[in-house]
Amino acid sequence: MTDEVRTRLEQQGIVMNQSWPRLGILTGLSPQSSKEYYIKLCDTVSERLGNGNVPLFTAQNINFGLIEALMKMNEWDAVKEVIDNAISRLEDSGAQAVAVCSNTIHRVLEDMTERHHAPLIHIGDCVAAEIKRLELSRVGFLGTATSMSEEFMLGHLEKSGAEIFVPDESACREIDRIIFEELCRDVAYRDESRTMILDTISDMITKYSIEGVILGCTELPLIINESVQEHFCLATSTPIGFRFIDSETVHIEAIADYCCNRKLPQLQ
């Protein structure tokens, strides 16, 4: 490409390839939410920059069937090996930062920073920064049973300074079932499942006086979308200013920040 052509493109607001930071993304965890990541990330960057610009990134697509089977067997070391190797392949391709399109898989990422040079755009840090920005002090968290019961995600969220609450054990089990048996498999979204999740949120508002709730699984927005959230707030006695925090959307905004400005999420 000649300098003249490059100059004309830049004058039109087109981002040249060499101007983008090299981003690596782990997808397929599950494919349903990964599709949303791709579309929303492209749309977010395009809205910010205009002129049809969409980000450049390298993706490693993980076999969700393999990962799900290993998680059910409680073979987390094997999950870690798969993810570790995938991140290495992204770095070998030149990735300067990595994003993993799943909350639960962050369980195996905690000590990987010592073995990898590319910084992780951690979904927990992104959500914690959003909680702090919204000045919330009591927040509910919904996700897989693993995410709701272990510190790998809850500990990051507590960096916001807010108290984080999860549902009771039976509700955790049912939400986990809905995620893996319905949402991850793209089963037609059942009204009963949506109602169960919304009833759980209502119970947490009553029991814990939460000011917002984190949809802490990238599949949950598939069934609790913005329209459902709006109707819930209008139809129930939710506190004024109650917030739904979609971890997927918050993560995508942070990834877009990196693509556009080389900015990594930070808690102020």
Side-chain angles (χ1 to χ4, degrees), residues 191-220:
D191 289 340
E192 300 93 324
S193 297
R194 183 182 292 107
T195 298
M196 181 273 158
I197 295 170
L198 294 176
D199 286 347
T200 298
I201 296 171
S202 292
D203 291 343
M204 295 177 74
I205 292 172
T206 300
K207 186 174 182 180
Y208 301 120
S209 300
I210 59 172
E211 304 158 326
V213 64
I214 301 159
L215 302 180
C217 175
T218 54
E219 283 75 31
L220 283 175

Side-chain angles (χ1 to χ4, degrees), residues 44-239:
T44 300
V45 171
S46 182
E47 288 171 5
R48 292 189 186 189
L49 300 181
N51 302 303
N53 286 295
V54 294
L56 298 180
F57 54 81
T58 300
Q60 276 289 316
N61 199 58
I62 305 299
N63 178 1
F64 177 69
L66 170 63
I67 294 297
E68 183 183 31
L70 290 171
M71 289 192 295
K72 287 181 178 178
M73 295 163 61
N74 205 31
E75 293 290 343
W76 285 98
D77 286 344
V79 173
K80 185 173 185 176
E81 181 180 355
V82 173
I83 302 301
D84 194 20
N85 290 337
I87 292 176
S88 293
R89 289 192 292 272
L90 286 172
E91 290 183 322
D92 290 344
S93 75
Q96 297 167 294
V98 171
V100 178
C101 303
S102 165
N103 285 267
T104 304
I105 296 303
H106 280 66
R107 185 185 194 275
V108 302
L109 302 180
E110 290 302 291
D111 63 350
M112 281 194 188
T113 54
E114 298 177 359
R115 297 197 300 280
H116 296 286
H117 61 79
L120 174 70
I121 304 176
H122 195 294
I123 195 168
D125 289 340
C126 300
V127 175
E130 179 68 1
I131 294 170
K132 191 166 186 179
R133 185 187 73 82
L134 294 172
E135 300 182 340
L136 303 179
S137 59
R138 301 173 67 83
V139 182
F141 177 79
L142 305 182
T144 63
T146 300
S147 296
M148 290 187 286
S149 64
E150 299 187 23
E151 283 299 305
F152 71 91
M153 188 59 64
L154 301 180
H156 276 269
L157 300 177
E158 288 168 353
K159 294 178 183 178
S160 67
E163 290 185 82
I164 308 298
F165 300 90
V166 297
D168 62 40
E169 187 175 347
S170 63
C172 286
R173 286 196 303 269
E174 178 60 10
I175 292 171
D176 188 81
R177 187 201 64 76
I178 291 169
I179 290 169
F180 283 106
E181 295 184 11
E182 298 178 21
L183 304 182
C184 287
R185 282 172 165 69
D186 207 19
V187 172
Y189 307 140
R190 299 170 64 243
D191 289 340
E192 300 93 324
S193 297
R194 183 182 292 107
T195 298
M196 181 273 158
I197 295 170
L198 294 176
D199 286 347
T200 298
I201 296 171
S202 292
D203 291 343
M204 295 177 74
I205 292 172
T206 300
K207 186 174 182 180
Y208 301 120
S209 300
I210 59 172
E211 304 158 326
V213 64
I214 301 159
L215 302 180
C217 175
T218 54
E219 283 75 31
L220 283 175
L222 297 173
I223 193 170
I224 309 296
N225 58 31
E226 290 184 5
S227 176
V228 171
Q229 295 168 24
E230 183 178 354
H231 181 267
F232 174 82
C233 290
L234 290 173
T236 62
S237 56
T238 53

